[in-house]
Amino acid sequence: MSIKDGAFINIIESIKNMMENSPKAEFIENDEYFLFCVGENTTEGHANGIFCFDDQNAEKIFKEAEDYFKNKGFSYTFWIRDKKNEKIEKILLDKGYEPNREPGLPVMAIDRKLNIPNLDSDYKLVQVKTIQEIRDFITVVRNCFSLEENTAQAMFNSSDVLDGKVNKGYLVYYKNRPVSAVQTYKAGGVAGIYWVATEEDMRGRGLGKFITSIGTNEALDLGVDTVVLQASRLGEPVYEKLGYKLIEYYRTYKIKIDEE
């Protein structure tokens, strides 16, 4: 299996894990697509959305996704894998939707451990275990990714999302305040790191580099040779400096319910 395919499987499995552990969530998986809904109205692509495996029946797939989310009254996101979902993407463009980012969300990979920067004694790294640590993880991620509170609570509802055999969550505290976070997830022959986040007022202190390095090394310790991630505009230069390399792009098309 290629690293690109492994990365694609990884993000789907990480989202599926969230759906399986959220009480109101649902997902549909078949030979053509993976559709998921966390049970809240949100444009967050990891909460409500659809990935296409085979878009030969693009019109049918689009209609099924449209009907599903219209029935729920929820916004959602179409994920487009570069050069893999041309038919679905054409439908989206023909209907006037625009990608969230061009040329897309960079999918990046690395195959080696990183040097961990030193932080002073005011900082403490913990692996997420307790109910309070889960709450703190949610707070950091919600603030940094502008998630609605109900959506964030639904996505990280269970300790199994942040503390399992193939997944871990990590937090950095500064003087007992949670300020930085990362999640790891093993699937598809690789490990992904997700939700790399640092509170805005704590940026510029090396925490992005630190928490990414922690996530990378802990992910490699899950027994894989490669770590993958999807880079935000803010994170992309940090990952490049650490040695992450671009492997492909995903584009996301957000379909808001009030536009329907």
Side-chain angles (χ1 to χ4, degrees):
M1 182 187 300
S2 70
I3 295 174
K4 291 181 182 180
D5 289 342
F8 187 63
I9 291 171
N10 192 279
I11 188 172
I12 290 169
E13 291 298 319
S14 70
I15 291 173
K16 188 187 300 183
N17 181 55
M18 283 194 292
M19 299 301 117
E20 289 174 336
N21 287 288
S22 190
K24 296 191 293 184
E26 300 175 346
F27 65 87
I28 301 168
E29 187 174 22
N30 54 42
D31 291 340
E32 294 179 322
Y33 60 80
F34 172 63
L35 179 151
F36 53 95
C37 174
V38 81
E40 300 289 341
N41 184 21
T42 178
T43 57
E44 169 53 52
H46 296 80
N48 293 346
I50 180 170
F51 291 87
C52 293
F53 305 138
D54 181 353
D55 66 354
Q56 291 303 307
N57 295 315
E59 291 280 359
K60 178 177 76 74
I61 294 170
F62 184 87
K63 184 68 165 55
E64 289 181 6
E66 185 177 52
D67 289 347
Y68 177 89
F69 285 104
K70 272 188 175 180
N71 183 58
K72 295 284 187 183
F74 292 165
S75 301
Y76 62 106
T77 296
F78 259 101
W79 288 78
I80 299 298
R81 192 176 173 191
D82 198 28
K83 300 179 181 178
K84 295 286 188 179
N85 302 130
E86 289 91 346
K87 292 183 178 181
I88 285 287
E89 187 160 33
K90 185 177 186 303
I91 291 173
L92 290 160
L93 292 170
D94 288 348
K95 289 183 177 291
Y97 296 110
E98 296 181 355
N100 191 47
R101 181 176 173 185
E102 287 280 20
L105 186 69
V107 184
M108 308 179 79
I110 198 168
D111 61 1
R112 60 177 176 83
K113 285 195 170 185
L114 300 172
N115 294 323
I116 306 294
N118 291 322
L119 296 178
D120 67 38
S121 59
D122 286 331
Y123 295 90
K124 180 176 71 171
L125 174 71
V126 302
Q127 183 180 332
V128 176
K129 292 279 189 183
T130 68
I131 292 174
Q132 185 58 54
E133 288 162 357
I134 293 171
R135 290 172 179 164
D136 290 343
F137 184 96
I138 290 172
T139 296
V140 174
V141 168
R142 185 165 64 86
N143 290 343
C144 295
F145 289 92
S146 301
L147 293 178
E148 304 92 339
E149 184 173 359
N150 288 347
T151 299
Q153 293 289 344
M155 291 171 68
F156 302 103
N157 174 74
S158 168
S159 61
D160 290 335
V161 176
L162 295 170
D163 182 25
K165 291 182 179 179
V166 297
N167 52 305
K168 306 291 180 186
Y170 297 89
L171 276 170
V172 174
Y173 287 85
Y174 176 69
K175 297 181 178 179
N176 297 319
R177 173 195 168 197
V179 294
S180 196
V182 67
Q183 180 204 30
T184 65
Y185 197 91
K186 176 184 174 183
V190 300
I193 64 172
Y194 298 91
W195 309 107
V196 180
T198 299
E199 293 280 9
E200 187 173 2
D201 67 319
M202 296 297 293
R203 293 170 189 167
R205 306 186 185 198
L207 281 172
K209 181 178 180 181
F210 178 85
I211 201 66
T212 302
S213 299
I214 290 294
T216 301
N217 292 1
E218 294 294 337
L220 286 168
D221 283 343
L222 291 173
V224 298
D225 296 324
T226 304
V227 179
V228 298
L229 56 78
Q230 296 87 47
S232 66
R233 285 189 174 91
L234 190 64
E236 187 176 2
V238 175
Y239 307 139
E240 286 179 341
K241 288 179 182 178
L242 289 172
Y244 275 86
K245 304 296 184 185
L246 177 70
I247 58 172
E248 70 172 324
Y249 289 102
Y250 299 155
R251 280 180 294 284
T252 55
Y253 290 77
K254 295 185 181 296
I255 301 178
K256 297 180 181 179
I257 192 64
D258 57 7
E259 295 176 352
E260 294 297 296

